[in-house]
Amino acid sequence: STADRDSFQFNLWRRYVKSALRQDERLLSYGEPQGERDLREALSSYLERRRNVVCTPDRIVVGAGVQSLLHILCPMLSGRKQAYFYNAGFRQGRQIFEDHGFRTDDIQNAGLKERRGSICYLTPSQMTVWGEVMHVGRRMELLREAAKENMLLIEDDYNSEFRYYSRPTPSLQGLSGGTGVVYLGTFSRLLLPSIRMSYMVLTPELADVYRARGRYYNQTASKAEQIALCQFIRDGHLESQ
């Protein structure tokens, strides 16, 4: 997809990128595998304010796009074998789960017995191509079902910010109290598609798993763009955007 040229302040973003590129000492080293610490702190605060997400910087992992983050997440879910999708058209994500040995299917084909111990991937802020949003009552019902069946939910909240006449519906992750839901978000739509920056908020259990292996992963997102985005968020421009 492409962005409307008039919807993004290129001169403003260019100023933040130039500022980041002047941090010579910081740019001489590789970025943190989990994402720059100050960006994760800014993200944690932003997500709490805007999406009611329950997290700390230590539970956030930054990467260049949702697909790269799923390649990190899938090996941590090896105890689960089945992944269900609410959105049958999300072929890019489904393929990654299949590449990691998961069986995949549409959630409509799963009975209660089949859902037990599985993974459910959904986009509650845009359930259909027409922009249908999963209402709070259904979100609470789904959380109860998931807890009962030990089903891990992956909430891809990529379109949550695009609400012109009302506040976004609270995230599944926030409604769950921060447990049982992995939260995914991206800046590619809100800022520019060419800024390949996404993040995931792990559950406390998965955050422990990540800490044991995360140092072996390379960071895929530009360190300079992470530095620029951190200050962009701190100065309030992401919320105004």
Side-chain angles (χ1 to χ4, degrees):
S1 63
T2 58
D4 178 8
R5 183 178 180 85
D6 295 332
S7 70
F8 186 74
Q9 302 177 64
F10 283 94
N11 288 336
L12 179 64
W13 177 250
R14 193 176 294 118
R15 192 164 76 232
Y16 281 95
V17 171
K18 286 180 178 179
S19 175
L21 291 174
R22 285 194 291 267
Q23 300 187 34
D24 297 357
E25 290 299 319
R26 190 170 177 184
L27 294 177
L28 287 173
S29 62
Y30 288 109
E32 294 184 47
Q34 192 169 346
E36 296 303 291
R37 175 76 190 188
D38 53 356
L39 172 60
R40 288 186 282 118
E41 289 173 351
L43 262 178
S44 179
S45 177
Y46 172 82
L47 291 172
E48 182 181 5
R49 291 194 312 272
R50 294 289 298 179
R51 299 298 295 122
N52 198 37
V53 169
V54 179
C55 69
T56 63
D58 292 333
R59 287 171 58 184
I60 296 176
V61 181
V62 175
V66 167
Q67 284 185 311
S68 68
L69 293 173
L70 290 179
H71 278 301
I72 294 174
L73 179 62
C74 282
M76 296 195 291
L77 307 177
S78 57
R80 300 174 186 266
K81 304 300 181 185
Q82 180 73 50
Y84 291 107
F85 290 79
Y86 262 83
N87 185 350
F90 185 44
R91 191 62 228 177
Q92 302 98 316
R94 196 159 174 164
Q95 186 62 54
I96 292 173
F97 278 88
E98 292 174 0
D99 289 347
H100 284 276
F102 290 88
R103 300 185 302 273
T104 67
D105 203 349
D106 297 338
I107 192 66
Q108 294 83 355
N109 299 328
L112 288 178
K113 184 177 179 181
E114 288 78 14
R115 296 184 189 193
R116 190 166 298 124
S118 66
I119 299 162
C120 180
Y121 194 110
L122 69 160
T123 55
S125 294
Q126 183 164 338
M127 297 296 290
T128 66
V129 294
W130 299 282
E132 180 185 350
V133 177
M134 180 182 285
H135 59 78
V136 174
R138 175 57 186 139
R139 293 181 189 222
M140 296 303 298
E141 181 183 356
L142 179 60
L143 288 171
R144 287 192 293 269
E145 293 174 1
K148 183 178 179 181
E149 302 300 333
N150 185 30
M151 181 169 62
L152 176 70
L153 301 178
I154 300 178
E155 177 181 15
D156 188 338
D157 213 22
Y158 73 99
N159 250 7
S160 65
E161 302 287 1
F162 292 96
R163 294 287 172 268
Y164 298 104
Y165 304 112
S166 63
R167 289 184 60 83
T169 306
S171 66
L172 268 172
Q173 197 268 7
L175 292 171
S176 74
T179 63
V181 181
V182 174
Y183 182 89
L184 294 171
T186 183
F187 296 107
S188 298
R189 287 174 176 264
L190 191 59
L191 297 179
L192 288 174
S194 56
I195 300 175
R196 300 298 296 161
M197 194 90 68
S198 298
Y199 56 90
M200 64 179 171
V201 180
L202 299 170
T203 64
E205 297 79 12
L206 287 173
D208 290 339
V209 176
Y210 179 85
R211 272 189 286 275
R213 63 173 72 187
R215 64 184 181 276
Y216 300 115
Y217 296 126
N218 291 323
Q219 176 53 248
T220 54
S222 160
K223 184 174 184 178
E225 286 190 343
Q226 288 185 65
I227 295 170
L229 181 59
C230 173
Q231 197 58 48
F232 189 84
I233 295 172
R234 283 177 171 174
D235 290 346
H237 295 302
L238 186 63
E239 296 186 48
S240 64
Q241 175 70 21

